[in-house]
Amino acid sequence: MSLGERIMILGSAGSGKSTLAAKLGGILGIPVIHLDRLFWNPGWVETPKDEMDRRVIEAASGERWIIDGNYSRTMDFRMERADSIIFIDFGRFFCLCRVFKRRVKNRGKTRYDLGEGCPEKIDWEFFKWVWNYPSRSRKDTLEKIYGSGKAVYRLRTRKDVKNLINNAYRHGG
C-alpha cells in the first residue's frame, strides 16, 4: 500500500483528521498542513475567502504534503493534486464525544493544528456543525472522492485507522 507523496485527509470535525495527519507525517517524513491553521487567525478571526484560497492553492502546489481539513471551496484543487484521499467516516456521536474530550484536555490552550491565539473552545454553532456534518457534507464528499480516480481509503472504525498507520510503518507509505 502506497499513499503517495500528496495525501488529503477529510472527515467530520472530531474524527481525528489532524491527529492522523500528524502521525502519518511523522512516519512518512512528509510535511503536514492543517487547513485550520491557515484559516484561523488570533482570536478566532477568519481569513478572508480569497486569501484562504490563495494560501491553500500555494500549499497544495508543493510536491509533498499531507493536508487535513475539508474546506470545500478548495477541495477540487487539492483533490486534483492528491495521490490519495483518506476519508475518516465516523458517526456523529463518536465525533462529538471526541470534540468534548478535546475541549476538556486542551482547555485554555491552543492546539497544534489551529492558528496561534485560538484557545480551544466549543459553542452551539460548532456543536451543530459537527452534528449536521453527515447530512450536510458526507454524501457529496463521498461522491466527489470516489469519482476522482484517486486512491481512496475510507476509514470507518478505529481499527481501520490503526491498520492504515501500521501499513504506513511497514511500507513507508
Side-chain angles (χ1 to χ4, degrees):
M1 173 193 78
S2 175
L3 295 171
E5 299 285 306
R6 292 180 301 276
I7 304 163
M8 275 179 73
I9 302 178
L10 306 169
S12 175
S15 64
K17 295 181 303 293
S18 297
T19 302
L20 179 59
K23 284 181 181 177
L24 289 176
I27 295 166
L28 304 173
I30 297 176
V32 176
I33 300 158
H34 303 289
L35 293 184
D36 281 344
R37 278 190 73 82
L38 299 181
F39 184 70
W40 292 110
N41 296 296
W44 291 99
V45 174
E46 296 178 8
T47 295
K49 289 177 182 177
D50 59 339
E51 174 65 14
M52 180 61 178
D53 291 351
R54 187 192 63 71
R55 289 178 183 183
V56 174
I57 288 168
E58 182 179 316
S61 293
E63 289 304 310
R64 301 178 76 231
W65 46 257
I66 298 172
I67 298 178
D68 82 90
N70 296 308
Y71 293 87
S72 59
R73 288 171 43 84
T74 63
M75 191 179 295
D76 288 340
F77 180 78
R78 289 178 284 134
M79 196 173 307
E80 183 180 302
R81 299 265 309 133
D83 296 319
S84 61
I85 302 165
I86 298 170
F87 183 71
I88 305 176
D89 194 9
F90 292 163
R92 60 173 45 122
F93 287 107
F94 179 86
C95 293
L96 279 172
C97 286
R98 289 195 52 180
V99 164
F100 285 117
K101 181 179 172 185
R102 179 172 79 189
R103 167 64 171 95
V104 170
K105 178 183 172 192
N106 296 300
R107 184 175 182 198
K109 299 182 229 166
T110 298
R111 294 191 329 260
Y112 66 91
D113 58 323
L114 290 173
E116 290 298 319
C118 296
E120 186 68 42
K121 70 174 187 167
I122 187 170
D123 56 21
W124 182 244
E125 289 304 312
F126 187 63
F127 176 87
K128 288 191 305 186
W129 180 261
V130 177
W131 182 260
N132 291 324
Y133 179 84
S135 55
R136 180 189 65 248
S137 303
R138 183 177 173 275
K139 181 181 178 209
D140 289 341
T141 299
L142 285 169
E143 286 175 3
K144 189 173 274 200
I145 65 176
Y146 279 119
S148 70
K150 306 293 179 168
V152 175
Y153 301 88
R154 186 173 177 188
L155 311 178
R156 297 180 187 184
T157 65
R158 286 187 258 186
K159 184 176 181 181
D160 291 345
V161 173
K162 186 176 180 179
N163 288 340
L164 183 95
I165 291 168
N166 288 339
N167 282 327
Y169 272 119
R170 279 196 296 276
H171 302 291

